[in-house]
Amino acid sequence: METFDAIIVGAGFAGSVCARQMAQEHGLRVLVIDRRPHIAGNAHDALDAHGILCHTYGPHIFHTNAALVTNFLSRFTNWRPYEHRVVAEVDGRFVPVPINRTTVQALHSVELADESDVIAHLDALAEPRANLRNSEDAVVAKVGRDLYERLFRGYTRKQWALDPSELHASVCARIPVRTNDDDRYFTDKFQQMPADGYTAMFERMLDHPNIEVRVGTAYQDACGSVTAPQLVWTGPIDAFFHYRFGRLPYRSLRFEYETRATPGGRLAQPVASVNYPNERIGYTRVTEFRHLTGQVADSSTLAYEFSVSDGEPYYPIPQAQNRELFHRYEALAKSRPDVLFVGRLARYQYLNMDQVVAGALVAVDRWAQVRQSAPQLLRAA
Ligand code: FAD
Ligand code: UDP
């Protein structure tokens, strides 16, 4: 049996941040394993057969307001400024998403001179709701039924195989409504991409004498031959407990790729992602990676995103009954002080990358405090 100070399951943001902190700040000998054949988790990127840098698990745009997160990640990467822009194809034309002044003018064929005009226009359409019980309420209460149906209903039904009325309000509330001309997808202070890509950033994060990485290794296969007093679990929480209370559901994705000739380094799409809310179109969005990476090349690769029920666990499904099931697993997790549950799958939460990094930094800090003041509390029962 090989012994380490900590075993970390998952080499994505959650696992890799914990590994670096435990190894460097606390001197632990750490083993990181991932069942997939690469590091970086869902943020993994790699060159395709045409030499174009693509995101393996869908477009990942880095944005944050947390200096804690950028300070930490900047130790492992330089950055390239990038502000994400998205348009939706509605009735044969492209309009900005999130909804802004341009979107409203185009879809309602009106002239809105300034922000107060846009506010008045949307106020007249909005259907106020006392409680925002679901994602339909969240949108209709702000912009009314027409914009909801043309921009949100079909996209959400394709993405989640659920009507917005069946999904927690927070899902569609991720998309703000703007009354000005700002056509950026995010408004965070820091919007930059890792200059050499995500995988290169993870390689540097995991490059430490106290860290050993084994990919293509599932925990269930490795746990008979490696041991450690501390485990960090960043896989699905229900899998850790052998699905004792049943499975937490996930939405998955399937990608179809297309590489187009783009002589002179031009780009195929006007912006990085084009959303397709129309339910007659099978895919939800098409992303052209060179917009995100800034790579200059005579060809360009686009990913068509299809939402599916089976496959890699991508999106926890934000519904009340799933949250309740998660809470049952969370209660079990409290009985395992020797295990830290960190990240999107272990917390069963729709978290962005920066939130996962912040969560991992905080989790290791808390663990370190307990380890120092009351180490007996971290021992398995
Ligand atoms: P993961 O990256 O999923 O890592 C968990 C790892 O654990 C996986 O690599 C898995 O293989 C491994 N694992 C699981 N079980 C086992 C086991 N039994 N044994 C060994 N290994 C195991 N966030 C943003 O901020 N901006 C974006 O633009 C953005 N776009 C996204 C687009 C898509 C399509 C998706 C799905 C997510 C997006 N996100 C985005 C969210 C982002 O991917 C996550 O916040 C982040 O990757 C979560 O990191 P994690 O370490 O928690 O999980
Ligand atoms: N959404 C939509 N229409 C759009 C964009 C988003 O209905 O044009 C909804 C959809 O339900 C989606 C959610 O808003 O799942 C959050 O969108 P986001 O772009 O944040 O999704 P992600 O990038 O995480 O897939």
Side-chain angles (χ1 to χ4, degrees):
M1 186 71 87
E2 263 182 293
T3 305
F4 293 85
D5 297 323
I7 295 174
I8 297 188
V9 180
F13 270 103
S16 301
V17 171
C18 289
R20 183 73 189 205
Q21 288 297 83
M22 287 178 154
Q24 182 161 341
E25 303 302 322
H26 305 289
L28 266 57
R29 278 189 56 248
V30 175
L31 173 67
V32 181
I33 62 171
D34 201 298
R35 63 175 175 74
R36 297 194 286 201
H38 57 72
I39 59 169
N42 279 351
H44 180 258
D45 53 16
L47 297 181
D48 70 3
H50 307 273
I52 305 300
L53 186 63
C54 295
H55 295 179
T56 316
Y57 302 98
H60 276 70
I61 296 99
F62 191 80
H63 56 100
T64 190
N65 286 315
L68 171 81
V69 171
T70 46
N71 289 344
F72 177 80
L73 293 178
S74 299
R75 287 160 46 190
F76 314 111
T77 188
N78 294 322
W79 299 95
R80 171 186 169 266
Y82 169 71
E83 289 181 326
H84 193 48
R85 286 184 169 75
V86 175
V87 295
E89 197 210 56
V90 180
D91 302 330
R93 61 176 142 186
F94 292 147
V95 295
V97 177
I99 290 171
N100 69 3
R101 189 172 75 104
T102 317
T103 317
V104 180
Q105 292 196 133
L107 292 183
H108 288 168
S109 307
V110 284
E111 277 295 320
L112 302 167
D114 54 26
E115 283 205 69
S116 58
D117 276 5
V118 182
I119 293 167
H121 180 84
L122 292 178
D123 278 353
L125 299 171
E127 295 177 16
R129 299 273 200 271
N131 294 313
L132 301 184
R133 289 159 308 159
N134 55 53
S135 269
E136 177 181 319
D137 287 352
V139 181
V140 171
K142 284 196 271 188
V143 300
R145 191 150 290 278
D146 179 68
L147 292 172
Y148 160 74
E149 285 178 1
R150 290 163 89 183
L151 287 160
F152 285 87
R153 192 175 61 186
Y155 187 102
T156 300
R157 275 152 67 148
K158 286 195 283 186
Q159 171 71 13
W160 298 96
L162 290 169
D163 192 79
S165 61
E166 299 171 281
L167 271 171
H168 196 272
S170 60
V171 177
C172 286
R174 279 170 66 87
I175 313 298
V177 174
R178 309 228 175 91
T179 49
N180 58 18
D181 294 333
D182 191 347
D183 64 348
R184 297 171 305 159
Y185 206 62
F186 307 109
T187 49
D188 302 54
K189 278 188 276 188
F190 187 94
Q191 302 189 41
Q192 309 219 32
M193 298 288 281
D196 309 316
Y198 288 98
T199 305
M201 178 175 76
F202 276 81
E203 275 164 7
R204 292 182 209 117
M205 204 186 304
L206 291 168
D207 181 14
H208 187 279
N210 282 351
I211 302 178
E212 186 173 331
V213 179
R214 294 182 196 163
V215 293
T217 306
Y219 178 67
Q220 42 278 36
D221 299 330
C223 60
S225 55
V226 292
T227 184
Q230 183 67 48
L231 190 69
V232 177
W233 182 264
T234 76
I237 189 166
D238 53 347
F240 182 83
F241 293 108
H242 307 290
Y243 309 105
R244 192 179 304 183
F245 304 132
R247 282 181 183 261
L248 285 164
Y250 283 92
R251 203 69 192 141
S252 192
L253 297 172
R254 177 174 68 78
F255 298 98
E256 286 182 13
Y257 296 93
E258 180 194 359
T259 301
R260 293 189 199 164
T262 51
R266 62 183 175 77
L267 290 153
Q269 294 193 154
V271 292
S273 293
V274 179
N275 288 359
Y276 291 88
N278 187 331
E279 280 184 270
R280 284 194 297 277
I281 296 170
Y283 40 84
T284 51
R285 61 183 173 191
V286 180
T287 298
E288 183 175 14
F289 292 108
R290 277 182 39 224
H291 277 280
L292 311 182
T293 59
Q295 188 178 359
V296 179
D298 286 336
S299 63
S300 198
T301 301
L302 296 90
Y304 291 69
E305 241 169 89
F306 295 83
S307 180
V308 293
S309 53
D310 293 323
E312 288 286 333
Y314 280 79
Y315 293 98
I317 303 180
Q319 284 186 296
Q321 66 270 32
N322 302 339
R323 208 65 214 146
E324 275 164 34
L325 182 53
F326 167 73
H327 286 314
R328 295 182 70 193
Y329 282 113
E330 196 185 30
L332 267 189
K334 291 209 168 76
S335 69
R336 293 297 305 264
D338 55 325
V339 185
L340 281 182
F341 291 90
V342 192
R344 210 185 217 207
L345 304 172
R347 306 296 314 154
Y348 195 66
Q349 246 186 328
Y350 194 177
L351 299 172
N352 289 329
M353 294 181 279
D354 64 325
Q355 296 171 300
V356 171
V357 173
L361 291 171
V362 168
V364 174
D365 279 353
R366 287 207 187 118
W367 162 85
Q369 279 164 18
V370 179
R371 182 170 176 252
Q372 199 175 19
S373 58
Q376 71 281 5
L377 294 182
L378 295 175
R379 272 178 222 135

